[in-house]
């Protein structure tokens, strides 16, 4: 697909700059998409087919949140 998937921090001015989010971009630099949304540091585990992933995010002041998301657009499944 000629895409790069990566964790990036410092994306939102109102959020801790050390919180990492899953992102995707095309090799030519177009089509940047942030695939996670929660205000916290994210850890990602993909399904074997990469059609979905579990995003676990947390902050020091709240318990961890687990979300099942679509790999295509980051949409929340459960």
């Amino acid at each position: 697909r000629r895409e790069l998937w990566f964790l990036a921090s410092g994306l939102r001015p109102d959020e801790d700059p050390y919180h990492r989010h899953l992102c995707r971009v095309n090799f030519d630099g177009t089509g940047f998409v942030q695939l996670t949304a929660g205000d916290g540091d994210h850890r990602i585990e993909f399904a074997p087919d990469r059609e979905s992933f579990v995003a676990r995010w947390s902050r020091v002041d709240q318990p961890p949140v687990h979300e099942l998301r679509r790999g295509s657009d980051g949409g929340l499944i459960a």
Side-chain angles (χ1 to χ4, degrees):
R1 292 189 195 172
R2 301 190 54 80
E3 298 173 331
L4 296 173
W5 293 63
F6 57 97
L7 291 172
S9 58
L11 297 174
R12 298 177 179 175
D14 58 334
E15 192 174 300
D16 185 318
Y18 295 105
H19 289 170
R20 296 171 294 173
H21 290 274
L22 180 65
C23 302
R24 181 183 66 216
V25 68
N26 297 325
F27 274 10
D28 64 4
T30 62
F32 175 83
V33 179
Q34 182 178 330
L35 298 167
T36 55
D39 181 6
D41 188 48
H42 289 75
R43 292 180 187 245
I44 307 301
E45 292 183 42
F46 281 96
D49 62 5
R50 300 240 179 227
E51 293 294 319
S52 60
F53 61 90
V54 173
R56 184 191 74 133
W57 60 273
S58 62
R59 296 190 322 221
V60 70
D61 62 338
Q62 71 178 46
V65 175
H66 295 79
E67 300 172 334
L68 178 62
R69 294 187 166 272
R70 283 189 300 273
S72 60
D73 62 1
L76 186 64
I77 297 171

